[in-house]
Amino acid sequence: MKQSALRNSAPPRNASRFVAYVATITVAAVGVLLVSLPGGFPSSLPAAFWCFAAFAILADTPWFVQAGPDDVMPAFPSVCFTFAVMLAFGFAPAVLVQLGAVAVAAVWLKHAAWRAAFNAGQYVLSFAAAAALFDVVLPDQRADVHTILDGGMPVLWIVVVGGCWFLVNNLLVSTAVWLRFGGRWPAVFKTALGNDALPTGALLLSAPGLVATAYVDVLLVPLALVPLFAVRRMTKLSLQRARAARLDPLTGLGNRKALERAVANWVPEHAERAEGGADDRRLALLLLDLDGFKQVNEALGHRVGDRLLEEVAGRLTGAAGAGLVGRLGGDEFAVVVPHLRDTLQAREHAAGMLAALAEPVLLDGLPIDVGGSVGVAVYPEHGGDFEELLQHADVAMYDAKARGDNLAVYAPESDHNTPERLSLLADLRRALESPEGTGIELYYQPQVELATGAVVGLEALLRWRHPVRGPVDPEELIKVAEHSSVMRLLTLRIVDEVINQLAAWGPAADGVRVAVNVSVRDLHTGEIADRIAARLRETAVDSSRLELEITESALMADPRRVLATLARLERLGVAIALDDFGTGYSSMLHLRRLPLAEVKIDRSFVLGLATDPDDAAIVRSMIDLARALGLRVVAEGVENERTWRLLVEAGCDLAQGWYFARPMPPAQLIEWLARRNRSTVAHSA
C-alpha cells in the first residue's frame, strides 16, 4: 500500500482533523490488539511461521523495497508473508509480524513517529477486518494447511478475504490523504484503488501459494524472495527511466513533462478548494527566452553555449525558491511557482528571475551578458491547465518583446488566439504543409520612381482564399500567424516563392526588385538568412533584387538578435527597408543603428497629405530626414494625382498605391509591365 503518500514534510490542509483521524486510527488499533492478542496466539508455532515472519521483516528492507519519486512507495512485500501467516495461523501472529515489518521500514525510511503509528494502525485494522470475515465464511479451517491443498479452503473465499483487507486498507489511507492534502474524497479513493490494485493484489494472492509451498517443504519458501528481489530491481530501473524522462539531459532541470506534471498535480486540489471558498492561492507559469544565445553558439561554439545554459539553469534554480525550474528546449526556460497570493507576486518572481541573470556569465575569461524576456500566466485567471498557461505565457513573452520590455503578464487584449482564429490557424498550417499550398498565393504591387515614372520595385502581398470562408483579410491572417510557429512556415514559403518568381520572370522583370515583409519571429534566428542565401544560390538570382521590410516593433522585440540577423542579410547583398516609418517608438535611434537602404512612410500619413497640413508637414520632414541620411523614401497609399504631385515636390523617391496600380497576380503583373513599357516607349517617341 502506498502509505508514503503521507509525506513527513508537507503541512496538513486541515491539521486538527488530520491529527484527530491519525489518533483515532492509532487508538482503535491499540484497542483491537488489547482485545485480540490475549488468547489469540497459538501455544506453539511450526517452522513455517518463523520462516514467514523472518522473511516478512526481511522483505521490507532496502534490498527488496524501492522508494519512488517524492517518496512514493510501491506495496510493501511483507504483506504477502503476513497474509499467509493470517491464513494459516490466525490474526494475532499475522499482525505481530506485520508490526515488526512496519518498525523495520520506519527506521530505514526515517518515518516520523506519527506516520509509523498510522501505518501500524492501518495494518492492524485491515488484518482485523480480513480475519473477522475469514472467521465468518470459513470457520474452523485455519491452522491446517491440508485444507488448502484438499480444497477445503475455496480459492474464491480467499480472494474475497484478500479483497476485504485491500478495501479497508485503501479506505483508511485514502481518507488520511484526503484530510492531509484536500481534494475530492471519491477521486482520491479511486486513484488509490487504481494505483494499488495490481501490486497489492498480486502480493495478497500469492499468500496461499506460500502456505502450500511451506506444507510441501519449508525450505522452498526462501525462493519467494527471488522474484521479490527481481521486482525490486525492475522497479528501480523503471523509476530511474521515469525520472530521466522528466529531466533535461543537459541542465538536469525538469523538462516539459515535469512542468506539466507539477501543474497537473496542483490544479485539481486547489480548484476544488477554491470552489468551496477555502483557497485563494495562485500558481504562476513563468516563461523565459534568453537574448543572444544563438550568437554565443555561432561565435564561441556549442560547448560554450551548453555551459552558458548550465550556468543559467543554476542561477534560475537559485532564484526560484519553491518554484520548479524547467527547460523547454533551446534557450527557453520555464518556472512553475505555486502558493502565490496574487498576480503581483507572480510578477515579482519573474523580476527575480531576470535579476538573477543581470550579472554577466564568465566563461573562459570572457564575460557574456545574459538577459531575456519573461511572460507570466497565472492560474486560474489565465488558464486552467498547463497547455493553456504555457500558451498564454508565450503570448505575454512576445508581448513584452513587442513593447521593448523584458517582462509582461498575460493580457487577453494582447492575445489573438480566439477559437475562430485557432481554427483558421490550423487550416493555414495544413495549407502550408500541402505541396500545392491550397489557396495561398502572392500578389505584387508596383513601386514607381516618381522622377521618371519607371517601375523599379514590387511589394509581395499575401493572399489566401480559404476553401470554406473564401478570401481571408491579409491583416487578420498575419495577426493569426505571427505569434505561432506557423509564421515561420509562412515566411519561408513566401521567400521561396518570391525568389522562384524572380527567376521565372527573367528579362520580363529585369532590374525590378521585390520587397517581402518579415515578422518579429523571423528575425530571432538566422534561419531566414540561411534560407535566402541557399535559394539565391540555387536560382542564380541577384541578391540586389530582393528586399526585406521590417517594422520598428520587430527591432524593439529583441534588438541584439534582430541586428545580428540583419547584418547577415546585408552581407548577402539583400536590402533592408523600414516599414511603417513614423509609427514606432524610437525612429531616430533606429535610423542610426539599422543597416537600412530604404524607409517607407506609412499610408496613415500619406492619405492625409493633400488635406491635412499636419500630415503634410510630417511627410516632408520624414523625406528630408531620410534623404539627409542617404536613404530611399517610399510613400505608401498614393491614391490620387494631387498626392502624387505633392510627393514629387517634396522630393520623395518612390511611391506605391492604387493611383499607379492595384496588387496583381504574377501573370497579370507581367502583362501590365509590358503594356506600361510599350506606353512609355510610345510616349517617348
Side-chain angles (χ1 to χ4, degrees):
M1 183 65 196
K2 296 184 179 179
Q3 66 266 47
S4 59
L6 304 177
R7 293 183 287 278
N8 292 328
S9 59
R13 298 289 179 261
N14 191 320
S16 59
R17 291 171 61 191
F18 176 75
V19 170
Y21 177 75
V22 171
T24 299
I25 296 300
T26 304
V27 170
V30 171
V32 169
L33 291 175
L34 292 175
V35 171
S36 303
L37 289 184
F41 209 88
S43 57
S44 64
L45 291 167
F49 166 78
W50 298 108
C51 186
F52 288 157
F55 291 145
I57 293 174
L58 180 63
D60 279 1
T61 60
W63 291 292
F64 298 96
V65 178
Q66 174 63 42
D70 302 323
D71 198 25
V72 174
M73 302 292 299
F76 281 83
S78 60
V79 169
C80 65
F81 294 102
T82 52
F83 195 66
V85 171
M86 192 203 77
L87 292 177
F89 307 110
F91 167 74
V95 78
L96 287 178
V97 173
Q98 187 65 68
L99 291 176
V102 168
V104 169
V107 170
W108 78 267
L109 287 172
K110 299 179 181 179
H111 286 167
W114 66 263
R115 181 169 167 181
F118 176 80
N119 289 344
Q122 75 176 53
Y123 280 125
V124 169
L125 297 181
S126 300
F127 274 107
L133 180 62
F134 192 101
D135 289 338
V136 170
V137 299
L138 297 170
D140 303 323
Q141 292 193 15
R142 191 189 291 107
D144 183 1
V145 295
H146 290 84
T147 59
I148 295 178
L149 299 178
D150 296 340
M153 187 183 293
V155 173
L156 176 60
W157 285 117
I158 295 177
V159 173
V160 171
V161 171
C164 175
W165 187 102
F166 176 73
L167 183 63
V168 171
N169 196 275
N170 269 274
L171 283 169
L172 295 173
V173 175
S174 299
T175 303
V177 172
W178 171 63
L179 290 172
R180 186 165 175 78
F181 299 110
R184 298 177 60 250
W185 186 88
V188 175
F189 180 59
K190 182 179 179 181
T191 300
L193 287 179
N195 291 340
D196 295 333
L198 183 59
T200 305
L203 290 171
L204 292 171
L205 294 179
S206 66
L210 289 173
V211 175
T213 300
Y215 169 74
V216 174
D217 190 340
V218 72
L219 295 179
L220 293 175
V221 174
L223 295 178
L225 294 176
V226 176
L228 290 178
F229 181 76
V231 168
R232 187 264 186 188
R233 294 293 299 169
M234 288 187 291
T235 302
K236 181 178 181 179
L237 292 174
S238 176
L239 291 172
Q240 288 174 344
R241 285 194 293 267
R243 194 175 295 115
R246 295 193 297 273
L247 295 179
D248 172 55
L250 174 63
T251 62
L253 298 176
N255 60 14
R256 183 189 179 99
K257 289 183 179 179
L259 295 167
E260 186 171 4
R261 181 183 179 187
V263 174
N265 288 342
W266 196 88
V267 164
E269 170 193 338
H270 291 270
E272 177 73 16
R273 294 179 64 81
E275 288 177 5
D279 197 345
D280 60 353
R281 284 171 293 180
R282 301 290 186 263
L283 174 141
L285 180 63
L286 317 178
L287 183 63
L288 168 70
D289 181 67
L290 298 181
D291 293 338
F293 178 70
K294 181 176 177 60
Q295 286 66 47
V296 172
N297 268 342
E298 291 176 348
L300 303 177
H302 289 279
R303 287 187 180 179
V304 174
D306 288 348
R307 288 169 57 196
L308 177 62
L309 291 175
E310 290 171 348
E311 175 66 24
V312 168
R315 292 191 183 188
L316 294 180
T317 300
L324 172 65
V325 183
R327 179 179 173 226
L328 298 177
D331 59 349
E332 275 196 340
F333 294 82
V335 184
V336 174
V337 187
H339 307 304
L340 299 176
R341 295 186 305 274
D342 49 31
T343 301
L344 179 60
Q345 193 178 13
R347 188 181 180 92
E348 291 172 354
H349 273 270
M353 289 174 59
L354 292 171
L357 303 179
E359 291 295 323
V361 176
L362 193 65
L363 295 175
D364 296 335
L366 181 67
I368 299 175
D369 288 323
V370 181
S373 299
V374 180
V376 180
V378 178
Y379 170 88
E381 288 87 342
H382 304 149
D385 57 27
F386 175 79
E387 289 297 333
E388 192 174 5
L389 289 171
L390 182 62
Q391 176 189 350
H392 289 166
D394 187 59
V395 170
M397 182 182 71
Y398 279 99
D399 182 38
K401 290 179 180 291
R403 293 190 288 104
D405 200 351
N406 57 7
L407 195 162
V409 177
Y410 173 75
E413 58 269 20
S414 300
D415 192 354
H416 305 292
N417 297 318
T418 63
E420 181 180 0
R421 284 181 170 176
L422 289 175
S423 174
L424 190 65
L425 184 65
D427 293 340
L428 177 59
R429 179 184 288 276
R430 282 191 288 270
L432 289 169
E433 291 175 345
S434 67
E436 301 81 12
T438 309
I440 296 175
E441 57 182 336
L442 293 180
Y443 277 45
Y444 297 86
Q445 185 172 36
Q447 294 177 342
V448 176
E449 190 173 51
L450 294 178
T452 64
V455 177
V456 296
L458 305 167
E459 181 177 5
L461 300 171
L462 180 65
R463 297 290 184 267
W464 182 33
R465 180 174 290 277
H466 190 277
V468 176
R469 307 184 191 193
V472 178
D473 180 75
E475 289 189 9
E476 180 185 5
L477 182 60
I478 296 301
K479 286 181 179 180
V480 166
E482 66 181 348
H483 291 293
S484 75
S485 58
V486 174
M487 193 67 216
R488 168 184 169 273
L489 299 176
L490 183 59
T491 299
L492 295 180
R493 171 66 68 87
I494 293 172
V495 166
D496 287 350
E497 188 167 331
V498 164
I499 295 176
N500 290 339
Q501 189 63 68
L502 281 169
W505 278 334
D510 191 32
V512 175
R513 64 179 172 272
V514 178
V516 178
N517 286 278
V518 292
S519 73
V520 175
R521 282 180 180 257
D522 299 325
L523 300 172
H524 280 174
T525 70
E527 183 179 18
I528 188 171
D530 295 337
R531 186 63 161 256
I532 288 174
R535 298 301 297 140
L536 290 175
R537 285 195 303 269
E538 293 170 6
T539 58
V541 170
D542 193 316
S543 61
S544 64
R545 299 187 64 191
L546 183 66
E547 182 177 69
L548 296 188
E549 295 184 359
I550 66 170
T551 62
E552 293 182 72
S553 61
L555 177 68
M556 295 186 69
D558 197 336
R560 285 186 290 183
R561 289 190 184 186
V562 171
L563 286 171
T565 301
L566 295 182
R568 291 188 60 194
L569 291 167
E570 184 187 31
R571 289 194 295 270
L572 289 174
V574 176
I576 307 297
L578 185 63
D579 198 11
D580 301 334
F581 182 54
T583 61
Y585 299 97
S586 53
S587 301
M588 292 293 292
L589 176 63
H590 292 174
L591 287 175
R592 180 169 59 85
R593 295 177 60 190
L594 291 176
L596 296 175
E598 177 180 286
V599 294
K600 299 187 72 173
I601 301 176
D602 188 69
R603 62 184 291 113
S604 62
F605 299 112
V606 176
L607 290 173
L609 178 62
T611 57
D612 189 323
D614 291 336
D615 283 348
I618 291 172
V619 170
R620 285 194 297 269
S621 298
M622 290 179 180
I623 294 172
D624 291 341
L625 175 61
R627 289 178 67 85
L629 294 171
L631 303 176
R632 286 193 306 269
V633 185
V634 181
E636 298 180 301
V638 179
E639 297 186 356
N640 54 63
E641 182 179 357
R642 174 63 177 159
T643 301
W644 165 60
R645 292 188 180 278
L646 289 173
L647 288 170
V648 172
E649 292 174 5
C652 186
D653 298 299
L654 309 174
Q656 68 182 80
W658 287 6
Y659 176 69
F660 304 105
R662 296 196 176 198
M664 295 170 275
Q668 184 181 339
L669 174 70
I670 292 300
E671 295 176 0
W672 181 87
L673 285 174
R675 289 196 305 271
R676 185 177 179 86
N677 289 337
R678 288 195 297 269
S679 174
T680 301
V681 171
H683 181 73
S684 300

